[in-house]
Amino acid sequence: MNGQYPKKNYLGQLAIVLHAHLPYVIKNEKNSLEEDWLFEAILECYIPLLQAIESSKKENPSNTKLTISLSPTLLSLLDNKQIQETFPCWIKIRNDILNELPQKEKNASAFLMRNLNSKYLYWQECSGNLIEKFKVLNKSGNLDILTCAATHGYLPILRENPETVNGQIKTAIRNHENIFGTRPLGIWLPECAYYENLDEILFNSGIRYAILDGHGILNATPRPRYGVYAPICSKKGVAFFGRDSESTLPVWSAKDGYPGDKVYREFHKDLGWELPASELQKKGISTKRPLGLKYYKITNENVPLGKKEFYLENEAIKKSEEHAKEYLSARSKQLKKLSLSPYFMPLLVAPFDAELFGHWWYEGPFFIENILKNSSKYSIKLTNLKEFLTQKPNLQICDPSPSSWGQGGYHNYWINDANAWIVPEITKAGSTFVDLCSKKISNGLTSRLFKQAARELLLSESSDWSFILRAGTTTELAKERIDRHLFRFWKLVEMIKNNSIINLRFLEDIEEEDNVFPDIDITDWQK
């Protein structure tokens, strides 16, 4: 594997890959749980990450490189004007709650108030258009923005109807192109899940690279000469990068990872659980639930939530700087061991859920910023996946192994006693829709029915619902979502088959609520 590498000032290259995704859930209801999911991610993750990248770019533009996937459903939420108009009210409610705290707690939560206001100021300065911020970094080459499947459908369980996989991929590509003005070359496969011959659908759709978990590469045929330290290329022409566990475990591990340090903010102790329900209701919040207002530190993993100590921001930021240096030092030593040949420069690929940085691990964006600013000091060349491939490395031809990065490494997290019932339901719906789309489709009202049926099918296929059912959190919400989208799908199918009985009011209502992928093309589902 000998390409045009940036030798020999560096020991090797590091590609940090972040996967940003939220399911498309919009409710015509203020202060909903679904609204909280998005706004907390914007406040704690997306804005801080953008700030970290922009800050590093000023100091170290040539080595500020990241790969990020922005899922089509997340992009649709960020692009939604109604949501952009609601965010200020959401911020105000939390400011009001913090202002009304007793003095001791108000002092402890002062950092939260400052961060709420500084992040909101950033939001105001770009008029709530975070997509434009990502677009600028993409054009400068600092970010390589990948797409994902349209609604994060778990592709291996859709394979019985290949056209439904095609619908997920092509809808995503079209959505990405309309927003960013360029076709994506890379994709984050939902849950990094791969099955045999998926590369053919990807290649035919214009996708040229993707990320797999390590065993998807290590168990490839033939076995790759360089393991996960270099991408492989499938016979169909798609490059696959493998996750390096050494580069991810220090951050990812729930037991031994950096986010569990005692000085970091405690995720589970949230003011929303502690305020009286009557106080929340005065603010328009109907039930007790997390509000994103957390101002205690982990203290010790054995200390119960009621005994946690107040969070000290300066102490936590200092620790994140130490952890970034520790991480870079470890990667430098790792690369030194791997750099045995003058003709091979190893690549470490470290993929993570973006929401880990800032939402789950509050100090995560500080950690990322320190990685970006200091990697050169450790002889590490930061790269993104697109930039790496433009170096034109000679890739070994291998067939990737079926795999995922979910628990167990394969598909059992999405096919088990808690959620396997979904598979025949969406398979039957997919098969019916493919048959319908493969017949002649008329224009006008019937075309609207087809397009909305396609949206409902895509929304029902979201892997988020299967994940929630298996994890056992908000399971009623997940089941309700699946049932809702499938009910709407079958009702639309009935109207298509009997076009003399069309409920226009029903169609208009769900077009307004499930208003995603305006550019959807039902020929993607044709045989």
Side-chain angles (χ1 to χ4, degrees), residues 330-381:
R331 301 291 69 72
S332 182
K333 291 174 184 175
Q334 183 185 2
L335 287 168
K336 195 173 289 185
K337 290 179 182 177
L338 293 167
S339 301
L340 300 178
S341 165
Y343 304 106
F344 172 63
M345 178 174 279
L347 171 70
L348 306 178
V349 178
F352 305 97
D353 281 328
E355 290 77 19
L356 168 66
F357 298 92
H359 178 59
W360 297 100
W361 179 21
Y362 186 68
E363 298 77 14
F366 295 112
F367 174 83
I368 289 286
E369 185 172 351
N370 277 281
I371 295 292
L372 295 174
K373 288 182 176 179
N374 297 304
S375 56
S376 300
K377 299 174 186 175
Y378 294 82
S379 299
I380 297 171
K381 169 77 173 77

Side-chain angles (χ1 to χ4, degrees), residues 435-451:
D435 287 342
L436 277 175
C437 289
S438 300
K439 298 172 183 176
K440 187 176 179 182
I441 302 165
S442 59
N443 295 321
L445 192 54
T446 307
S447 177
R448 281 174 61 189
L449 293 171
F450 266 103
K451 288 181 178 182

Side-chain angles (χ1 to χ4, degrees), residues 359-460:
H359 178 59
W360 297 100
W361 179 21
Y362 186 68
E363 298 77 14
F366 295 112
F367 174 83
I368 289 286
E369 185 172 351
N370 277 281
I371 295 292
L372 295 174
K373 288 182 176 179
N374 297 304
S375 56
S376 300
K377 299 174 186 175
Y378 294 82
S379 299
I380 297 171
K381 169 77 173 77
L382 291 184
T383 188
N384 54 50
L385 303 187
K386 183 178 180 180
E387 180 185 66
F388 182 88
L389 291 175
T390 60
Q391 297 164 15
K392 298 184 179 178
N394 297 325
L395 305 186
Q396 185 177 350
I397 306 297
C398 304
D399 288 324
S401 172
S403 53
S404 85
W405 80 341
Q407 188 181 59
Y410 294 96
H411 309 315
N412 55 306
Y413 202 89
W414 290 269
I415 309 175
N416 53 70
D417 291 344
N419 58 26
W421 61 270
I422 297 171
V423 180
E425 294 290 335
I426 59 177
T427 301
K428 180 183 175 185
S431 179
T432 299
F433 193 62
V434 169
D435 287 342
L436 277 175
C437 289
S438 300
K439 298 172 183 176
K440 187 176 179 182
I441 302 165
S442 59
N443 295 321
L445 192 54
T446 307
S447 177
R448 281 174 61 189
L449 293 171
F450 266 103
K451 288 181 178 182
Q452 195 59 37
R455 294 184 186 104
E456 302 301 335
L457 177 63
L458 287 170
L459 290 167
S460 73

Side-chain angles (χ1 to χ4, degrees), residues 166 169-170 173 183-184 200-208:
N166 202 47
I169 302 298
K170 287 195 172 178
I173 290 171
R183 287 178 67 83
E200 183 171 6
I201 292 177
L202 297 177
F203 185 85
N204 291 339
S205 300
I207 294 296
R208 294 296 178 264

Side-chain angles (χ1 to χ4, degrees), residues 169-179 183-184 519-521 523-524:
I169 302 298
K170 287 195 172 178
T171 302
I173 290 171
R174 195 177 297 110
N175 173 264
H176 184 103
E177 186 173 13
N178 283 348
I179 288 175
R183 287 178 67 83
D519 47 9
I520 201 160
D521 185 346
T523 63
D524 293 340

Side-chain angles (χ1 to χ4, degrees), residues 304-320:
L305 290 180
K307 300 289 185 180
K308 299 289 184 180
E309 297 173 9
F310 284 136
Y311 178 78
L312 300 174
E313 186 181 37
N314 289 338
E315 177 185 48
I317 291 174
K318 183 180 177 184
K319 180 59 70 173
S320 72

